[in-house]
Amino acid sequence: MQLNLTANSKRVKTLDLSQPVVMGILNVTPDSFSDGGQYHALEAAFKQAEKMVADGAKIIDIGGESTRPGASVVSLEEELARVIPIIKRIALQLDVVISIDTSKAQVMREAVAAGAHIINDVRALQEEGALQAAAELAVPVCIMHMQGQPINMQDSPSYHDVTTEVLVFLQQRIDDCVNAGIRREHIILDPGFGFGKTLEQNYQLLADTAVFHQFGLPVLIGVSRKSMIGNLLQCDESQRLAGSLACASAAATDGAQILRVHDVRETADVLAVVAQLAKHRNSKRGS
Ligand code: 8Y7
């Protein structure tokens, strides 16, 4: 499977998804890189991006709006000020695919103009103008399932059958995207771990990873350091690496193409082992 990253009139760039790849998380919210002013914040973010690329990240996902449970909203101006400088710098200096984590149409436009290749929207292009912006920009889009909004989504998640309901939502959004003019082969799907789901619902979805391949589109899984690990293991964020890697291993074994993670080097190692195993599963004994 390959993802064509070429927007209108730009030179051809593709992302090989025949083996699972790591998407490194780069949060540029004030709590991440705020000590020492604007210049130092940009410098620190760039250094982290550089390290993630050296560690094996094929995609860097840049986000300026926190979508953690209970997080408050961020203004357009604030979000642009956070993400645009770092996108420009990475586009200029690193050979990596850039993903912009946003729900705002204007951020999508300015981010792609600055050098972003992929739009990652936890609200699945449902905010005003987002669907049209994504269609016009003609770049790949990741559409994610969420029940509720970040401010209240973990209050009382409720499903009759979580996997079926996520599948139905994704099918509907694929149709909406295609009807808006987004190329089908530009759509990446994400079940949305932790976005309006209980611990049991999250693990049900992870166990059902393979089901999400029925659309023939790349599947992105984001479980890194999330509460589905912390609540199961009763540990804080600094102690969720092993749990995150176990989830990454399971998802990659079930064919997930993109793993969105904090711990790039460790996840890349897991993916290399999973790929080596897959090679032997597919080859006939003795050949
Ligand atoms: C996801 C995500 C977050 C995810 C996609 C966190 C921005 C919360 N999680 N995007 N973003 N999938 N596509 O803990 O699971 O990283 S933010």
Side-chain angles (χ1 to χ4, degrees), residues 44-104:
F46 182 74
K47 282 220 165 67
Q48 185 168 329
E50 208 172 25
K51 179 172 189 307
M52 289 197 290
V53 173
D55 285 348
K58 295 287 186 274
I59 309 170
I60 304 279
D61 187 40
I62 300 170
E65 179 212 13
S66 178
T67 41
R68 290 167 167 257
S72 56
V73 292
V74 176
S75 74
L76 172 64
E77 292 69 28
E78 179 65 34
E79 199 177 328
L80 285 171
R82 290 176 185 176
V83 300
I84 300 302
I86 185 68
I87 292 173
K88 285 185 176 164
R89 178 89 187 269
I90 293 173
L92 204 62
Q93 299 194 359
L94 297 178
D95 182 22
V96 70
V97 174
I98 300 169
S99 159
I100 173 67
D101 155 20
T102 191
S103 298
K104 296 187 180 75

Side-chain angles (χ1 to χ4, degrees), residues 20 26 79 128 146 237 249 277:
L26 190 62
E79 199 177 328
E128 179 148 7
M146 165 160 49
E237 275 214 49
S249 174
L277 261 171

